[in-house]
Amino acid sequence: LLCFRSPLVTRLIFGLLLQAALTQLSIITQPNFVLFLADDLGIGDIGCYGNDTIRTPNIDRLAKEGVKLTQHIAAAPLCTPSRAAFLTGRYPLRSGMDAINNYRVIFWNAGSGGLPPNETTFAKLLQQQGYSTGLIGKWHQGVNCESRNDHCHHPLKHGFDYFYGMPFTLISDCQPTETPEMDRAFRRKLWLSTQMIGLVTLTAALGRLTGLISVHWKILTCLAGFSLLFFVSWFSSYGFVRYWNCIMMRNHGITEQPMVTDRTTSLILRESISFIERNKHKPFLLFLSFLHSHTPLLTTEKFLGRSRHGLYGDNVEEMDWMVGQVLDAIDKEGLKDTTLVYFASDHGGWLERQEGKRQLGGWNGIYRGGKAMGGWEGGIRVPGIFRWPGVLPAGRVIDEPTSLMDIYPTIVHLAGGAVPQDRVIDGRDLLPLLRGTVVHSEHEFLFHYCGIHLHAVRWHQKDSGAVWKAHYVTPIFSPPGAGACYDRGFCPCFGEGVTHHDPPLLFELSQDPSEAKPLSADTEPLFDTVIRKIGRAIEEHRRTLTPVPEQLSVYNVVWKPWLQPCCGTFPFCWCDKEGDN
């Protein structure tokens, strides 16, 4: 009997140890990563976050089969800085990717600013671990530094083996039938100035010809030359936005200049699925950076008129369909159980984006504010969904504060890499929280910037579960009480368009997520304690900041013809390498 039991017990113990080892192995073995990042999508635009007018069954399925984060926070309320933080795991002002002026994003493919070469993205670290890394879609982190082909800010210099998409961002100027969007107010001023200078020149010339005004021909010639020079100086950039900014690239080569918007969606989807098929036999990272749901809301005909939320809803439903197609490709290749899928938006929906009575921006649910607002929840609280069958529990909902910057350490650790030790990494590894092995997020404080200006700070008081948020600066809504800056198009970060609060506005988000009822020392006994605690955290945080070159300075943002990507001989830049001919 003992001889029988001994081998049985031995086999049983061995089996249990082997199962534990295999379970652990499933965690540490390099999974594939598919990261979906929407553009300008509001947290209230998705079914699993409460929307009932836009159908998003595929994104909802991810939440049902995985983990949904309800307090997932972008590090900035605009594309360029938010994506810089996402890629580096660091607040954007640490890399110089947040604005000191009103130019808060990369404005031109031919600007010299961008994600600095000395920044280490998660793609670069995964590349070092043997991953195939691909970026499909939007970049918006700059292209060149000193010459047209140095590609110092290009995705291939930041750890991506393959890039197909827009080095810039989608704007209404890319669609010939749409009203120009880029720097619209400034362009109007330039046109008006040109007309006034031209009118002065014409009046002087007519006065000279009729003898009513005594003006020397040399003065007239100089005036006419100045008029022409002024016009050319700005029209050479703003007059050709579609050719300069609306381009598609494959790696370093330009495939469309300008882009043919009718086929952009199908090409991005084709490239995404192709990348999965080409790399299915080795670990891969696919970062699908959607052009949806940014204006001009490129939507194929079969999705037009399908939603109950107009063109914006149609566009979101098409994006959801694209998510489903990529998930189907993962399933088809048998990669579902070895692939961590993540879905998020770069920041909140754009409330002010309207054309007449058409609302072209997103909805941020119950949260106050929207895109460009650094402090209010509507500008920075975004969807956040993870799925990894067999590793992450299905249907789990987490209310803890998390950040888009957390993707960086999370996937780097899963890939077997280590985060850099020579710089501050603000993101935290989310895997223990996602799996349920810890209850609380590692974030005690999150700092909410608008450009380089600190607008608000969040304190997660873990012992009580309270989430305090202090606002030091808030935008002035226009018209008053409107909930956004409709008269401006964007809410500013500083100047006459903001209000400074001393003492700060304080909210307890777990009780008041809409930030509707500010607390005071009279209504909240802990008011002074909370404000002092947050104040000390700000002082400690600022001690970790070091001066860096400003990538969004006026000089770095302006159009430079010698940096303009061009598929011909500049300025004759035109090509279509995706067409039938």
Side-chain angles (χ1 to χ4, degrees), residues 1-11:
L1 185 60
L2 287 173
C3 292
F4 172 77
R5 282 182 177 176
S6 181
L8 181 62
V9 171
T10 302
R11 285 197 299 270

Side-chain angles (χ1 to χ4, degrees), residues 24 27-28 67 69 340 386 388 391-393 396-402 406-414 427-443 462:
Q24 182 64 20
I27 300 298
I28 64 174
V67 181
L69 307 175
L340 173 64
F386 288 85
W388 189 2
V391 178
L392 301 183
R396 181 178 174 85
V397 178
I398 296 176
D399 298 325
E400 294 286 300
T402 58
D406 297 338
I407 300 308
Y408 187 95
T410 302
I411 67 174
V412 168
H413 289 153
L414 283 170
R428 299 291 182 264
D429 186 353
L430 284 178
L431 192 62
L433 182 66
L434 296 174
R435 297 187 66 215
T437 57
V438 300
V439 176
H440 293 301
S441 160
E442 288 189 39
H443 290 289
K462 297 178 184 180

Side-chain angles (χ1 to χ4, degrees), residues 193-456:
S193 299
T194 302
Q195 291 168 352
M196 291 177 65
I197 294 171
L199 183 61
V200 169
T201 303
L202 182 61
T203 302
L206 290 175
R208 176 70 172 79
L209 290 171
T210 58
L212 295 175
I213 304 176
S214 178
V215 181
H216 198 280
W217 283 114
K218 287 185 178 180
I219 296 177
L220 280 178
T221 303
C222 290
L223 195 57
F226 173 76
S227 301
L228 180 62
L229 186 63
F230 178 78
F231 175 72
V232 171
S233 68
W234 71 264
F235 194 77
S236 59
S237 56
Y238 285 105
F240 299 91
V241 170
R242 184 164 166 255
Y243 284 84
W244 301 153
N245 280 346
C246 303
I247 67 176
M248 298 290 286
M249 298 182 75
R250 178 175 286 106
N251 296 325
H252 289 142
I254 298 173
T255 58
E256 296 177 4
Q257 188 170 14
M259 65 193 293
V260 182
T261 54
D262 291 345
R263 61 180 179 228
T264 303
T265 296
S266 61
L267 289 175
I268 286 177
L269 181 58
R270 184 190 74 184
E271 291 283 344
S272 301
I273 294 174
S274 175
F275 181 85
I276 293 172
E277 293 171 346
R278 293 197 309 271
N279 295 283
K280 60 186 176 183
H281 296 303
K282 63 179 295 188
F284 67 81
L285 160 71
L286 171 60
F287 176 20
L288 176 44
S289 179
F290 287 107
L291 303 183
H292 297 61
S293 49
H294 199 292
T295 50
L297 301 174
L298 299 183
T299 309
T300 55
E301 188 174 350
K302 68 178 181 179
F303 282 94
L304 292 175
R306 286 183 45 163
S307 80
R308 290 186 288 151
H309 198 74
L311 180 60
Y312 180 85
D314 299 342
N315 192 255
V316 173
E317 291 193 6
E318 180 174 57
M319 178 184 63
D320 177 80
W321 170 78
M322 293 173 72
V323 169
Q325 294 296 298
V326 174
L327 295 179
D328 289 346
I330 293 170
D331 293 347
K332 178 184 174 183
E333 302 299 341
L335 302 173
K336 183 175 181 178
D337 292 341
T338 57
T339 302
L340 173 64
V341 178
Y342 169 74
F343 180 90
S345 176
D346 56 356
H347 50 70
W350 191 357
L351 301 180
E352 296 94 343
R353 190 65 178 98
Q354 300 172 332
E355 292 291 348
K357 294 183 179 180
R358 289 197 306 162
Q359 176 63 35
L360 300 179
W363 181 51
N364 300 311
I366 65 171
Y367 303 107
R368 191 173 184 180
K371 176 178 178 176
M373 304 183 207
W376 295 121
E377 289 291 282
I380 54 177
R381 191 184 289 222
V382 298
I385 302 171
F386 288 85
R387 187 193 75 174
W388 189 2
V391 178
L392 301 183
R396 181 178 174 85
V397 178
I398 296 176
D399 298 325
E400 294 286 300
T402 58
S403 170
L404 265 70
M405 297 183 291
D406 297 338
I407 300 308
Y408 187 95
T410 302
I411 67 174
V412 168
H413 289 153
L414 283 170
V419 299
Q421 300 300 307
D422 62 345
R423 64 199 66 191
V424 176
I425 300 296
D426 298 298
R428 299 291 182 264
D429 186 353
L430 284 178
L431 192 62
L433 182 66
L434 296 174
R435 297 187 66 215
T437 57
V438 300
V439 176
H440 293 301
S441 160
E442 288 189 39
H443 290 289
E444 184 177 9
F445 296 95
L446 285 171
F447 302 91
H448 307 307
Y449 283 91
C450 187
I452 63 168
H453 307 277
L454 185 65
H455 274 207

